[in-house]
Amino acid sequence: MSAALPRLDDELASRDALEVGTTATVAERGRRKIPWRFFAGRAGFYLFTLWAAITINFFLPRLMKGDAVSSYLARNRSVSPEAEEALRILLGIDTDKSIWQQYIEYWGMLLRGDLGISTLHGLRPVAEVLASALPWTLGLVGIATIISFTIGTIAGAVVGWKRGSRLDAIIPVTTFFNTIPYFWLGLIAIAIFSSTLKWFPSSHAYDKGQSPEWSFDFIGQVIMHGTLPALTIVVASLGGWVLGMRNMMLTVLDDDYITVAQAKGMPNKRVLWGYAARNAVLPQIQSFALSIGFIVGGTIVMEMVFSYPGVGKLLLDATNAKDFALMQGVFLVITLSVLVANILADVVYAYLDPRTRQMES
């Protein structure tokens, strides 16, 4: 027994004293077992949230004035009364059934993957309409948001680390662009880079008269048309990421373990990225998850300014035309994307800071 104690003391002494009791050490211990209770609790919460969102999504259009059939008849006055009744049955809003029966049938349609029929797009299935618009929004707003988050987080970490230096000038510049209304920033970008310099197209996702295809010419058109709106998204949202990360870095840098690490002579890069930035980035994760989730909704103002064929413009058109089935489909996709993004954020958050899952397990 006495022989084992010195070996244990030597082993403890050989470990990095800075990492004892820190997030890094707990993370190594936390990887040894899967926190099933943590994931089960999160799964239950998100399942309840999904049910509540779908229920609200069902009742909300039915509380609005008018309906999709009335709006469709206003645009197509040659429809007979028999066709009107058939259309109500097709859309699931026939008055012969109770609201409870319609609710049950709505759930049945969702489980079969049927999102209904869009009256705005020639009675096409809503799933097809969404499938044609979703890739444009994901490709443009998604990539722009990821770029903005990455650049803003890295820049905020460096500015916070070198606080009091000339790099602090980045904060007011990025914050200034963050306060400009997006439609105004987009119009300025079009006036400068499209109308004056003629570097980029001013609208649409590709050239007029061109049909989507997998070719280098079409891909080049998509990149050229998407560059200007993507840059405006990055510029408009960069300030929030930089300021948030910089403020968290200032808080973390006052902690004792950062002082001890610097006193021990650790390389600045290791202290910056391995200790300070790793803990400072945690609040950014949740904000990034919400941004990723709302990517599916698109930036409505951006898609209006640049006439971009994304989900945001689709939702606006559906609202104006009272196409309730399409509105419900868009809201459902947005809800699912937000939930999935938050689930992924919880997993990443628990991985980076295992104290969260330990407190809930």
Side-chain angles (χ1 to χ4, degrees):
M1 186 69 176
S2 60
L5 289 176
R7 288 198 300 269
L8 181 59
D9 294 338
D10 294 340
E11 181 181 351
L12 291 175
S14 63
R15 295 170 56 189
D16 188 353
L18 181 63
E19 294 185 354
V20 176
T22 62
T23 303
T25 304
V26 178
E28 293 296 330
R29 297 172 182 170
R31 296 191 192 103
R32 297 176 184 175
K33 61 179 181 180
I34 301 176
W36 293 113
R37 187 179 300 178
F38 172 80
F39 291 121
R42 280 289 186 259
F45 169 76
Y46 285 121
L47 286 176
F48 173 79
T49 305
L50 178 62
W51 168 82
I54 291 177
T55 301
I56 295 174
N57 194 29
F58 169 80
F59 283 103
L60 192 59
R62 287 163 174 79
L63 298 176
M64 299 174 65
K65 290 186 62 177
D67 55 46
V69 176
S70 301
S71 178
Y72 181 78
L73 294 178
R75 299 191 304 269
N76 302 272
R77 300 182 181 277
S78 60
V79 178
S80 63
E82 294 79 9
E84 177 184 350
E85 184 62 26
L87 187 58
R88 291 186 180 276
I89 296 175
L90 181 63
L91 296 177
I93 57 175
D94 49 315
T95 56
D96 294 337
K97 294 182 180 179
S98 65
I99 195 70
W100 175 250
Q101 289 176 314
Q102 296 180 34
Y103 179 69
I104 297 298
E105 290 183 357
Y106 178 68
W107 269 100
M109 291 173 58
L110 291 182
L111 294 177
R112 295 192 304 269
D114 185 3
L115 300 180
I117 303 297
S118 172
T119 59
L120 181 62
H121 295 269
L123 301 182
R124 287 176 59 196
V126 171
E128 291 184 7
V129 178
L130 285 173
S132 63
L134 194 58
W136 298 107
T137 298
L138 291 176
L140 176 63
V141 188
I143 293 176
T145 303
I146 293 174
I147 292 175
S148 178
F149 170 78
T150 304
I151 296 177
T153 301
I154 295 176
V158 175
V159 172
W161 176 260
K162 297 184 178 181
R163 57 191 182 279
S165 65
R166 294 181 178 179
L167 292 178
D168 285 343
I170 296 177
I171 301 299
V173 173
T174 55
T175 304
F176 169 75
F177 285 106
N178 197 28
T179 58
I180 299 177
Y182 184 83
F183 74 91
W184 185 246
L185 189 63
L187 292 175
I188 293 175
I190 291 175
I192 296 176
F193 297 104
S194 295
S195 301
T196 304
L197 299 177
K198 300 187 183 301
W199 289 355
F200 302 102
S202 61
S203 61
H204 303 294
Y206 46 87
D207 294 343
K208 293 182 178 180
Q210 182 78 24
S211 58
E213 59 182 2
W214 289 105
S215 64
F216 288 106
D217 179 61
F218 180 76
I219 294 174
Q221 294 180 24
V222 172
I223 293 175
M224 288 297 297
H225 281 263
T227 299
L228 194 58
L231 285 177
T232 55
I233 293 175
V234 171
V235 172
S237 59
L238 191 62
W241 300 119
V242 175
L243 184 62
M245 187 64 180
R246 182 251 188 187
N247 291 341
M248 286 306 304
M249 283 290 294
L250 295 181
T251 302
V252 169
L253 290 176
D254 291 333
D255 290 341
D256 293 337
Y257 66 91
I258 299 296
T259 305
V260 173
Q262 293 174 327
K264 292 180 62 176
M266 283 189 178
N268 286 335
K269 288 185 178 180
R270 182 181 178 186
V271 178
L272 170 58
W273 303 113
Y275 292 92
R278 177 175 179 173
N279 288 278
V281 79
L282 295 178
Q284 297 271 93
I285 299 287
Q286 202 67 32
S287 299
F288 179 66
L290 293 175
S291 300
I292 290 293
F294 285 109
I295 280 173
V296 179
T299 306
I300 297 180
V301 177
M302 179 275 297
E303 294 180 359
M304 288 178 58
V305 171
F306 291 94
S307 298
Y308 205 81
V311 178
K313 188 173 183 299
L314 193 68
L315 177 60
L316 181 64
D317 294 340
T319 304
N320 293 332
K322 294 184 179 180
D323 189 346
F324 294 145
L326 184 56
M327 290 169 57
Q328 286 179 309
V330 174
F331 288 148
L332 179 62
V333 172
I334 293 175
T335 300
L336 291 176
S337 63
V338 172
L339 290 178
V340 171
N342 276 274
I343 290 173
L344 296 177
D346 282 338
V347 174
V348 175
Y349 203 107
Y351 173 78
L352 293 177
D353 189 1
R355 293 171 295 183
T356 56
R357 65 170 181 256
Q358 288 180 351
M359 288 186 295
E360 299 187 28
S361 62

